[in-house]
Amino acid sequence: MEGFKVSDANLVVYVHPSKSNKVSQAILHELSTLLFTFHEVFDGVVLAYDVNFLDNCAKILPGVHPYFGVRLKAKLLLFSPKPNMLLEGKVIKLTQESIHVIVLGFSAAIITEKDIREEFKYKTKRGEDMYASRLHKRHVIKVGTTVRFLVKSFDEETLHVFGSLVQNHTGSIHWLDKNLEDISHSDRSTKKKRESEGESLILEQDTTVGEPISMENAHKMKKPKKQRTKGES
């Protein structure tokens, strides 16, 4: 999955004098307030952090309440989805007009009917709503299915993603992982056929903004107790 990057940040945390005997604890508490919110400075939602203290002692700031200013360096794991990136999430609701997905357990995503390719037909089978492929009978999307979809836009204030299932390399991850190679072969055959008929086909290559990071490395970073591979186009 795309949308992850790591940012190195130089920070100053201001600690109240009453916390002078628990500076480390106070700093970690302040850093935890950054989590799961979008920050323009970092251009992403902070998911985790790893901290290195730069000062052995804090600098006392003048004022009525002389706060301690502590300098530190932090490595931040950010979630920063951009248009045309591939994301993955679990389907939590289906209607005839839309598919609702949850990404990373906190970000909601919606894929509306106009952004679902015509291959999929909405139907109810044995009391269960689903989107079933007309071309591949085993390619089914229903509640609980993990889907791979393309980002159209991202609302930074509400952390809401608007996605698309128009592209052939999107859909149920379980089905795609088993059959995507066959689809690629089919697409290449179609391309050759078109070229032989004198048609030209222009391909657009997705770009990733920021430094990518794998989920495996992400889990190695420190984060509070509250808390797959890149799709090929």
Side-chain angles (χ1 to χ4, degrees):
M1 183 168 91
E2 300 174 326
F4 294 104
K5 65 179 181 178
V6 170
S7 176
D8 292 316
N10 295 313
L11 306 174
V12 176
V13 177
Y14 301 113
V15 181
H16 192 275
S18 64
K19 304 292 185 180
S20 60
N21 61 336
K22 297 180 180 179
V23 174
S24 296
Q25 181 179 339
I27 289 175
L28 293 177
H29 173 73
E30 288 300 317
L31 288 175
S32 68
T33 63
L34 298 175
L35 296 172
F36 305 111
T37 53
F38 183 88
H39 298 274
E40 291 186 2
V41 174
F42 308 128
D43 188 30
V45 179
V46 179
L47 300 181
Y49 55 80
D50 192 9
V51 181
N52 289 316
F53 294 91
L54 301 180
D55 291 338
N56 292 326
C57 58
K59 179 181 179 181
I60 300 177
L61 305 177
V64 178
H65 298 289
Y67 278 69
F68 295 91
V70 183
R71 292 177 58 244
L72 53 89
K73 189 176 184 65
K75 189 176 289 290
L76 307 175
L77 173 63
L78 303 171
F79 176 58
S80 183
K82 305 294 183 184
N84 295 324
M85 282 186 176
L86 287 170
L87 296 185
E88 298 171 5
K90 181 173 288 188
V91 176
I92 57 174
K93 181 182 177 181
L94 281 175
T95 70
Q96 194 165 357
E97 294 78 28
S98 60
I99 298 175
H100 298 259
V101 179
I102 191 74
V103 180
L104 297 175
F106 75 91
S107 181
I110 184 171
I111 304 165
T112 59
E113 183 181 15
K114 65 183 178 65
D115 294 312
I116 301 173
R117 61 183 180 272
E118 295 182 357
E119 169 190 340
F120 287 103
K121 179 182 179 182
Y122 177 84
K123 65 179 184 179
T124 301
K125 185 175 182 180
R126 299 190 185 94
E128 186 176 31
D129 298 332
M130 63 181 67
Y131 276 89
S133 170
R134 293 184 173 95
L135 304 178
H136 311 282
K137 64 179 182 179
R138 295 185 182 277
H139 195 178
V140 176
I141 297 174
K142 53 188 178 181
V143 172
T145 299
T146 301
V147 294
R148 181 177 297 133
F149 62 95
L150 209 67
V151 176
K152 290 187 64 182
S153 63
F154 177 56
D155 189 316
E156 298 167 353
E157 184 175 347
T158 62
L159 306 185
H160 202 108
V161 180
F162 296 90
S164 170
L165 287 174
V166 172
Q167 300 73 16
N168 286 335
H169 59 287
T170 60
S172 166
I173 288 181
H174 178 73
W175 188 89
L176 289 172
D177 287 348
K178 291 183 176 181
N179 300 277
L180 193 56
E181 185 176 349
D182 294 336
I183 292 177
S184 298
H185 287 317
S186 177
D187 289 344
R188 283 195 290 270
S189 298
T190 302
K191 177 184 175 182
K192 290 179 180 178
K193 181 179 178 181
R194 287 176 177 173
E195 290 176 344
S196 66
E197 295 174 351
E199 298 181 9
S200 61
L201 184 64
I202 300 175
L203 300 179
E204 295 181 356
Q205 182 176 2
D206 296 338
T207 57
T208 303
V209 179
E211 178 186 348
I213 183 169
S214 66
M215 289 298 291
E216 180 180 356
N217 291 333
H219 289 309
K220 295 179 181 178
M221 299 184 69
K222 296 179 181 177
K223 56 184 177 181
K225 294 183 179 179
K226 294 181 182 179
Q227 281 243 278
R228 184 173 336 168
T229 59
K230 179 178 178 183
E232 299 179 356
S233 55

